[in-house]
Amino acid sequence: VPSSFDNCANLQNFLISYNNLVGNLPTFMFTLPKIRNVGISGNSFSGIINSLAIGPELIFLDFSHNNVSGSIPATTITPSSTLTLLRMNNNKLSGSIPSFFVLSSLTELKLNDNLFSGDVDDLLLNRSPVAISSV
């Protein structure tokens, strides 16, 4: 994905799932000021997540079924986030599951089929109405 998309200040939807795209995960897309939906699942994006910062209006983020690896930085999404759906399943993510996933706005969280280790935070397990899929 060309970094020139970073100049698309009014872009609201970026949906390119299942296109056999390769390269680094385009995390710059997550921070565009008006972006609401990012669907980039089912490609061959790779790399390590250095930051999972998100834009002020992002609601839907799906980068499942790629080759993203490494651990998720613990202080990347703020509790005031508008994010309601987060799918990171079927990657190669590792380390512990960050407690920032306890967001008041989050209604769906998919983390299955990764390489996470450790305990799942009690706050996350007791959070409702989040639909947690095979953590």
Side-chain angles (χ1 to χ4, degrees), residues 97-132:
I97 297 172
S99 60
F100 72 76
F101 287 131
V102 184
L103 299 172
S104 60
S105 60
L106 200 60
T107 60
E108 182 180 318
L109 173 63
K110 290 191 176 188
L111 302 172
N112 56 295
D113 296 314
N114 280 293
L115 304 170
F116 291 117
S117 60
D119 296 329
V120 176
D121 191 316
D122 286 341
L123 289 173
L124 182 61
L125 290 176
N126 294 323
R127 173 78 174 90
S128 63
V130 176
I132 300 173

Side-chain angles (χ1 to χ4, degrees), residues 18-73:
Y18 297 96
N19 281 294
N20 296 315
L21 299 173
V22 297
N24 286 328
L25 184 70
T27 54
F28 66 88
M29 295 300 303
F30 310 163
T31 61
L32 294 174
K34 301 215 178 190
I35 197 78
R36 297 180 59 79
N37 300 295
V38 176
I40 56 177
S41 62
N43 288 294
S44 292
F45 290 121
S46 60
I48 295 173
I49 300 172
N50 293 322
S51 172
L52 196 57
I54 61 170
E57 298 189 25
L58 187 63
I59 294 170
F60 172 90
L61 176 56
D62 183 354
F63 61 89
S64 62
H65 299 273
N66 278 287
N67 294 309
V68 181
S69 61
S71 60
I72 301 168

